[in-house]
Every structure is written in structure tokens, then in C-alpha cells.
Amino acid sequence: MSEAPGKLRLGALVALVVGSMIGGGIFSLPQNMAASADVGAVLIGWAITAVGMLTLAFVFQTLANRKPDLDGGVYAYAKAGFGDYMGFSSAWGYWISAWLGNVGYFVLLFSTLGYFFPVFGEGNTVAAVIGASVLLWGVHFLVLRGIKEAAFINLVTTVAKVVPLLLFVLIAVFAFKLDIFTADIWGVKNPDLGSVMNQVRNMMLVTVWVFIGIEGASIFSARAEKRSDVGKATVIGFITVLLFLVLVNVLSLGIMTQPELAKLQNPSMAAVLEHVVGHWGAVLISVGLIISLLGALLSWVLLCAEIMFAAAKDHTMPEFLRKENANHVPVNALWLTNAMVQLFLIITLFSASTYLSLIYLATSMILVPYLWSAAYALLLAVRGESYEGFAAERRKDLIIGGIALIYAVWLLYAGGVKYLLLSALLYAPGAILFAKAKLELKQPVFTNVEKLIFAAVVVGALVAAYGLYDGFLTL
């Protein structure tokens, strides 16, 4: 985007990170986690997540400081480190993840409204899709007014959404019972959960979803008033969200048992609070969730448009995505994004269990961009690039980058083969836009190495397509 609009200060950047991460996930966390793991595995899983995600947060902080010329975050890092097609794939995957998440948010939002208005059902009725469509285009035209205005509104909604979460934590602290918490720490009374290792692996899918957005500030790096604020915003936002997530999850396990939590309908946080204080607790959380989702939708619409625009600006995406309106908003990127959201909203009318399948697919699409960011940070430290005279910092970043990369690979493993194949199915068509961009530059589409990578993606996509046709894969 152009430099003309006002720059974003630290508070607005932190709000983007927190706003991006605190969406619907935290409000469904008690049930989502209990469905996969009991207390012991949950604690181990959060410990792994805290270390892994903190290193990832530090990776984004390091890259923002060491490569201030790279605007666009995950996309720019992948391109700088591993070439045009990897950069394109990161932008494409991140973009798909973002708008798929938006569809999931709309479904959850109207499912929550269904608590008050039964006509919305589980969020995928005709009334819900019409309502979601109206809201979608309302957000669309708000963003068209200019990023600065939209970022300010996001700051307001971020503050608003934190209040019910704080109330939940405060009430839950007093309602917490140690005997409930320690009743079956390792889940031995529930053999369906599997081994502790299985429990930890399965809960990772949820932790990835609730942490998507950690890169929010780096995506807006070009708009930061101070470049150093990008890293600060990432870490401050991460620590804030981590505290909320762990407290909500752990305290819930001391209010209701794992089997009780696992059976709750989402948003399960509402049911947990209702269990403690009665009906008004469910209403409070439902209202909080509605505000939270509205804020998160705004964040993701902003991020979607920005990353497509950044990729188009340096010719990795086709030229038409570079177009801005008078408010310096990437108008074509925005229209394309929300057209895809609209299409998938209509698809939800004909699909079952859409929220969970959408968020898992959205999660799997963002794992590759995260992996390339971690790999690039490690690559810089290995080469010593930008570390001249800073040997101690280089050693520290070697360790952080290494841990972040291991964690990113672990997340791919935790996601499983199913979502890896479905991701390939979504990655493959992106090559059309990549080829268009390359042809506009009169350059060869792929290097030899990129041809091999693309071939592997196509094979995965074909397997996924056959799997969907044959029935051994489902959305």
C-alpha cells in the first residue's frame, strides 16, 4: 500500500495481533481440548505450545528487526529465503487460510446467535447464510473506507472482547476445585483418548488454530509508525493471548470433569460459566463471542487484502491485485477475498460439521507459511547474514530458529496426512496466478527445483481429489 495513510502505533499493532488470535477458538476451548485430552496431556501440550509458539513469536520479531525492508511478513520471508514459488505459496496459503477462517467465523457467529434466535440454527441455515452475507459485505465496505479506520475499530473490539474473558477467568478462579482437576489426570478412565502422546498430538490441532494470527503485526510491518514496534507487538500480543488460553483451559478442568466438558455444545465456555453462575453466564459469554468474532473478522479481512497486495506489489501475484482505491485499500484483493468467502458460505448450506472442518483446513493451510518463516530465520543465523559483530545474538537466534523450525515440522505431523493432502488440493490451483504473474514479467514460470516442488504438490492434490471422490477423504 502507499505511504500516504497514517501509520499504525504500537497499541494498534498489538490490537491486530490479539484481535487476530482471539477469535472463536478461545470460547470453544474447554470442549475442544477435553475432547482430545485430559489434564496431564493438556498441561504437557500447553508447555510444548508455549515454547514452540514463543519461539515462533521471536522469529517474527527477529525477522521484523533484521529484515526491515521485507514488507508482508510470512510471504516476504519465504520469498527472500527460498525463491519466488515458495514466496507465492506462502502468500497463497496464508490467504486461503485467512478467508477459510472467516467462513468458519461466520458459521460460529451465527451458531452463537442461534442461542438467542433459533432461526440461525447451527450457523448454516438459509437465514444464517443470508445474515452472514449481509455482514460480510458490510465489513467489506468498511475496509474499503481505509485501513486506518478499520484498524481503529479493531482496537475498540479487541478491548471489548477481553472484558468477558477477564470476568470468566476471575469467576473461574473462585469456582476451581482441585479434586475435580486431579480426578483423572492422565485420562485412564477414558480409553478413547488413547495414550498421553496421542492426547498431546491431538490437542495440537486446536492450539494451532487458537494461535493463528501471531504474525499479524509483521504482515502490517509497512504500516508501523516505528519498525521496532512490530516485534514488540508480536511478543506482547502472544503473551497476552497465551495467558488467556491457558487460564481458560486449565480453570475449566477444575470446574467440570473432562468427560463433562467433552460433551458440551460450543461455545463451551458459555456452558462452563453457566454451570457456575447460571443463565446470565451463558449470555455474557455468547455476547463476548459475538463481539470477538466481529473483531476477528475485521482483522482477517485486513490481513487477507494486505498479503495479496504485498505479493502483487513485487510481481509475485498478478498485476490486477495491485490496484488501490482512493483510500489506498487494495480493492481487487479485497473483492477476490470476499467473493471466495461468499462462495464458501453458500457451500455451508449443503455441508455438515462445517465449523470444525473449516478451521482444521484453515489451520493446515497456514502451517507451511509458518514453517518457511522459521526456516528463513534459521537460515539467516546460519549464514550470519545481518549479524555482523553480533555473535551472541546470532547464537541465540540459531537456537530460537532451530526450535521454531522443529516445532513447525511437529505441527505438520500433528495435523496429519489428511489435511496435508487437502492443503495440496488448495495449493495446486494457485499456480495459475503464479504463472500469470511470471508471464506478465516475461520470465520462465518455474525454476528446475520449483518444478519438482510443484509436481509433488500436484501429486498430493490428485490423491486428495481421488480421496474425496472415493470417500476415503472427507472435508
Side-chain angles (χ1 to χ4, degrees):
M1 292 189 184
S2 306
E3 293 296 314
K7 295 289 189 175
L8 299 176
R9 295 186 177 181
L10 180 61
L13 288 168
V14 170
L16 282 168
V17 178
V18 174
S20 299
M21 280 193 278
I22 297 184
I26 192 168
F27 291 88
S28 302
L29 199 60
Q31 185 278 334
N32 290 169
M33 288 300 205
S36 305
D38 214 324
V39 172
V42 162
L43 294 174
I44 293 169
W46 277 120
I48 294 170
T49 300
V51 173
M53 278 293 176
L54 186 58
T55 57
L56 210 47
F58 282 138
V59 157
F60 288 116
Q61 182 183 35
T62 299
L63 291 174
N65 291 333
R66 298 215 162 266
K67 287 292 179 180
D69 54 315
L70 296 179
D71 294 329
V74 286
Y75 144 73
Y77 304 143
K79 181 175 181 178
F82 307 100
D84 289 350
Y85 183 57
M86 289 301 97
F88 171 86
S89 295
S90 275
W92 179 255
Y94 188 88
W95 177 69
I96 291 178
S97 173
W99 63 253
L100 272 175
N102 277 359
V103 181
Y105 282 152
F106 276 118
V107 172
L108 184 59
L109 173 61
F110 280 86
S111 174
T112 308
L113 285 170
Y115 181 84
F116 304 102
F117 309 103
V119 69
F120 294 132
E122 294 295 311
N124 55 4
T125 63
V126 173
V129 170
I130 291 171
S133 301
V134 171
L135 181 58
L136 167 68
W137 295 107
V139 171
H140 174 86
F141 289 109
L142 173 67
V143 174
L144 281 178
R145 290 190 57 207
I147 291 291
K148 190 67 178 176
E149 289 87 342
F152 169 74
I153 291 165
N154 181 65
L155 180 59
V156 173
T157 57
T158 299
V159 172
K161 82 176 75 171
V162 167
V163 173
L165 292 176
L166 279 171
L167 277 172
F168 176 87
V169 169
L170 287 171
I171 293 168
V173 165
F174 291 102
F176 182 87
K177 290 185 173 65
L178 193 61
D179 57 328
I180 293 175
F181 187 72
T182 57
D184 185 20
I185 288 177
W186 302 111
V188 291
K189 294 176 185 173
N190 189 356
D192 290 343
L193 291 176
S195 68
V196 173
M197 177 63 179
N198 269 350
Q199 292 178 49
V200 171
R201 179 175 174 262
N202 291 337
M203 69 169 277
M204 283 295 130
L205 297 172
V206 182
T207 63
V208 178
W209 170 247
V210 293
F211 267 115
I212 287 178
I214 195 169
E215 70 300 317
S218 69
I219 300 299
F220 281 82
S221 51
R223 297 196 154 273
E225 190 171 69
K226 293 181 188 171
R227 178 65 65 160
S228 60
D229 284 349
V230 176
K232 288 178 192 170
T234 302
V235 176
I236 293 168
F238 167 79
I239 292 169
T240 303
V241 173
L242 177 65
L243 282 172
F244 271 125
L245 291 168
V246 173
L247 285 169
V248 165
N249 191 192
V250 170
L251 290 173
S252 296
L253 286 161
I255 294 171
M256 299 172 75
T257 64
Q258 177 269 327
E260 287 173 334
L261 288 170
K263 290 175 187 171
L264 294 179
Q265 186 172 337
N266 284 312
S268 50
M269 192 196 288
V272 174
L273 196 57
E274 187 172 32
H275 181 78
V276 178
V277 300
H279 177 67
W280 72 264
V283 173
L284 173 74
I285 297 301
S286 296
V287 171
L289 175 55
I290 290 164
I291 294 171
S292 179
L293 288 171
L294 289 172
L297 279 170
L298 192 54
S299 298
W300 280 113
V301 169
L302 291 170
L303 290 168
C304 280
E306 188 83 16
I307 199 156
M308 289 294 268
F309 176 82
K313 201 161 58 171
D314 70 355
H315 309 287
T316 300
M317 289 282 180
E319 191 176 346
F320 77 94
L321 292 169
R322 240 179 294 164
K323 184 181 177 184
E324 293 179 285
N325 67 7
N327 293 317
H328 306 281
V329 176
V331 61
N332 286 345
L334 199 63
W335 280 103
L336 180 61
T337 297
N338 291 334
M340 294 305 298
V341 174
Q342 182 66 73
L343 174 65
F344 271 69
L345 277 173
I346 293 166
I347 289 172
T348 63
L349 282 172
F350 310 99
S351 175
S353 66
T354 48
Y355 174 64
L356 278 178
S357 56
L358 282 165
I359 66 167
Y360 283 142
L361 191 52
T363 300
S364 67
M365 289 301 292
I366 210 167
L367 295 184
V368 171
Y370 280 0
L371 183 135
W372 289 125
S373 296
Y376 182 54
L378 183 61
L379 187 68
L380 288 182
V382 168
R383 288 176 176 169
E385 191 179 328
S386 78
Y387 286 93
E388 294 78 9
F390 296 96
E393 282 191 32
R394 183 184 173 190
R395 283 193 296 273
K396 180 194 76 174
D397 288 346
L398 268 170
I399 294 167
I400 289 171
I403 294 170
L405 184 59
I406 291 166
Y407 179 64
V409 172
W410 155 253
L411 291 180
L412 281 173
Y413 163 73
V417 174
K418 171 186 173 179
Y419 287 104
L420 208 57
L421 290 173
L422 289 173
S423 294
L425 187 59
L426 290 174
Y427 271 109
I432 297 168
L433 285 184
F434 181 66
K436 179 172 168 53
K438 283 290 191 179
L439 292 172
E440 286 173 358
L441 294 172
K442 297 181 170 56
Q443 291 178 356
V445 176
F446 293 114
T447 65
N448 288 333
V449 173
E450 288 171 348
K451 284 176 186 174
L452 292 174
I453 294 167
F454 178 62
V457 171
V458 170
V459 169
L462 290 172
V463 172
Y466 179 73
L468 289 172
Y469 169 76
D470 192 55
F472 69 80
L473 274 184
T474 54
L475 284 173

